[in-house]
Amino acid sequence: MPRRRFLQLLAAGGASAVLAACGADTSGDEATAPEGSGAPSPERSGWFKDTGPFIAHADGKSLEARLESMQGLITPVPLFFVRNNSVSVDVDAGDWRLVVEGDAVADRVELSYDAIRQLPSRAFISYLECAGNHRAMFDRVQGRPAEGTQWGTGGVGNGEWTGVALRDVLELAGIRDDAVSVLLVGLDEESPEDGFRRALPVEKAMHPDTLLAYALNGEPLTRDHGYPLRAVIPGWVGAANIKWLGRIVVSSKKHWTRNNTTSYVLIGDDYPPEGEALGQPVTTQTVKSALALPWPAELASGSQRLQGFAHSPDGPITRVEWSDDSGRTWREASVLEPRFRYSWSRFELVWEARPGEHTIMTRATDASGATQPDSVPFNTKGYLFNQPVPHPIRVG
């Protein structure tokens, strides 16, 4: 349907008019709220999901997953990590609207949940990772503690996301040729700036795989994961994947906000300031790998089959190596199928465990040839640590 006709129908009769014009049969296709949607909003330190399977950090806003609980390619929603900047938001999809506005669109548009779900859908498997995942390793490995929540290796999950391409929504609003920046704003008003937000360059916003997702693993998003709509930007840090999305602002000038000037910025001697930022704004993730073991791990002696996960913004992962002698020698692990561009990959290795204290390091290489480096320059906020991690293992 032409964009202007779509807007006329929305103005005249809302989503029902659009559906009627499309000849769609909406019987049995109403938006299904996730389990527990009728529950009251959580307390300031609470969650909608069961926190039992997680490492609950003291900030009250971070649930770190336990990789040892993961067995398959897809992370089950009850085990999927959560990073918030306030409490999870309880949104009624019936009243919710997505607003698209700004000086670089022809029309201000408001789209209902039904209208979003009637746009052409896309689905793919992609990992999602907190920018501070592995932050604790600056202290544990380099002896230099960084600011922020001390994430271990579990600030990551891998899911099947379903939604609509952001570019389809921008085209409905008539995005102009002079568009430079697309700002995504969440409804979590208790977050900094009265709604957590992140700006994307227009090229990234218009990429066909930049998604506005309404489902995870085939089910509507749950409250802790951004219901009714969130952004999913494969390969970018989790902070760019705005949850509870409520507003999109398209501008002919670059947006500078807290989250690309003072926060989610690499600040340190190796990161000269860029634009209005105090350092270099964090955008894409880095190639990483981790063993699916507790920290520290305890194992019995004898032959042990160990598993882990590796991922990269330029995937898929092509090789994983491991070392049990502090990196002096490396052996190749088996990278398991299937392998997808945006997905993490599973790997496994067989280790002859001898009684005593040990460490095992892993390093991954992706399809672009990028490999985990021997060392990572320190940055004050502890983002993007990806050097091989010496995982401590005690063998009885």
Side-chain angles (χ1 to χ4, degrees):
M1 182 184 298
R3 178 185 62 83
R4 189 159 297 279
R5 177 61 176 155
F6 184 93
L7 297 177
Q8 290 170 346
L9 288 167
L10 279 180
S16 60
V18 176
L19 296 176
C22 293
D25 177 7
T26 61
S27 60
D29 192 37
E30 295 184 5
T32 303
E35 183 179 354
S37 62
S41 297
E43 299 296 328
R44 293 187 62 84
S45 60
W47 307 87
F48 287 102
K49 70 195 311 179
D50 178 11
T51 62
F54 299 93
I55 300 168
H57 286 282
D59 63 4
K61 302 172 184 177
S62 306
L63 297 178
E64 180 175 343
R66 300 179 187 273
L67 294 186
E68 63 270 23
S69 300
M70 315 278 186
Q71 299 298 322
L73 185 72
I74 301 297
T75 304
V77 175
L79 301 181
F80 212 107
F81 88 100
V82 184
R83 168 69 173 111
N84 285 346
N85 287 273
S86 65
V87 296
S88 292
V89 181
D90 192 6
V91 179
D92 182 348
D95 297 330
W96 172 89
R97 296 293 184 273
L98 176 65
V99 175
V100 185
E101 58 188 357
D103 71 345
V105 293
D107 301 283
R108 182 182 186 276
V109 176
E110 290 191 16
L111 299 174
S112 70
Y113 188 69
D114 286 342
I116 289 287
R117 286 175 60 90
Q118 291 303 316
L119 293 174
S121 66
R122 295 179 60 80
F124 52 74
I125 297 172
S126 177
Y127 77 93
L128 180 65
E129 183 184 24
C130 178
N133 195 29
H134 291 208
R135 177 183 283 130
M137 304 306 165
F138 276 111
D139 188 14
R140 295 175 183 175
V141 178
Q142 295 188 2
R144 300 185 66 184
E147 298 174 3
T149 302
Q150 296 301 299
W151 291 91
T153 60
V156 62
N158 197 54
E160 181 187 25
W161 306 93
T162 304
V164 302
L166 172 57
R167 73 175 183 182
D168 288 350
V169 171
L170 297 177
E171 287 173 352
L172 285 175
I175 186 169
R176 298 183 185 277
D177 291 341
D178 63 347
V180 170
S181 183
V182 177
L183 182 69
L184 308 177
V185 184
L187 295 174
D188 45 342
E189 295 178 353
E190 294 185 14
S191 291
E193 301 182 286
D194 300 320
F196 202 71
R197 57 192 63 198
R198 186 61 191 252
L200 305 177
V202 69
E203 295 80 11
K204 188 63 177 178
M206 296 297 285
H207 190 284
D209 292 336
T210 296
L211 197 69
L212 302 184
Y214 47 73
L216 172 58
N217 297 349
E219 298 291 339
L221 292 172
T222 57
R223 303 294 182 185
D224 290 312
H225 292 289
Y227 178 81
L229 194 73
R230 69 171 300 160
V232 174
I233 305 167
W236 276 49
V237 295
N241 294 250
I242 299 298
K243 295 191 284 189
W244 313 292
L245 187 64
R247 188 159 64 99
I248 299 174
V249 183
V250 187
S251 176
S252 58
K253 297 180 180 179
K254 183 169 182 175
H255 288 102
W256 291 103
T257 74
R258 168 186 177 274
N259 289 333
N260 63 355
T261 57
T262 61
S263 188
Y264 295 97
V265 175
L266 297 171
I267 301 173
D269 295 340
D270 293 273
Y271 305 102
E274 177 183 317
E276 297 182 19
L278 297 180
Q280 295 180 14
V282 176
T283 55
T284 57
Q285 277 289 358
T286 53
V287 58
K288 285 191 181 79
S289 63
L291 290 170
L293 290 174
W295 187 286
E298 294 190 5
L299 300 175
S301 61
S303 182
Q304 296 283 351
R305 185 176 297 273
L306 307 182
Q307 296 184 333
F309 300 94
H311 45 86
S312 167
D314 295 313
I317 295 296
T318 57
R319 185 171 74 251
V320 176
E321 301 164 285
W322 64 280
S323 173
D324 61 358
D325 60 3
S326 301
R328 290 188 294 275
T329 58
W330 293 90
R331 285 166 276 188
E332 194 154 340
S334 298
V335 181
L336 306 181
E337 299 292 343
R339 305 185 213 182
F340 302 115
R341 178 181 179 184
Y342 301 131
S343 171
W344 70 14
S345 293
R346 297 167 295 161
F347 66 86
E348 64 179 24
L349 59 96
V350 176
W351 179 53
E352 293 300 325
R354 304 177 308 279
E357 306 288 336
H358 305 271
T359 61
I360 293 183
M361 303 166 63
T362 63
R363 68 181 182 190
T365 301
D366 67 20
S368 74
T371 300
Q372 291 179 251
D374 292 335
S375 183
V376 177
F378 180 80
N379 69 90
T380 302
K381 295 181 179 292
Y383 297 129
L384 305 185
F385 184 99
N386 74 323
Q387 72 186 68
V389 172
H391 199 118
I393 300 174
R394 179 181 299 110
V395 178

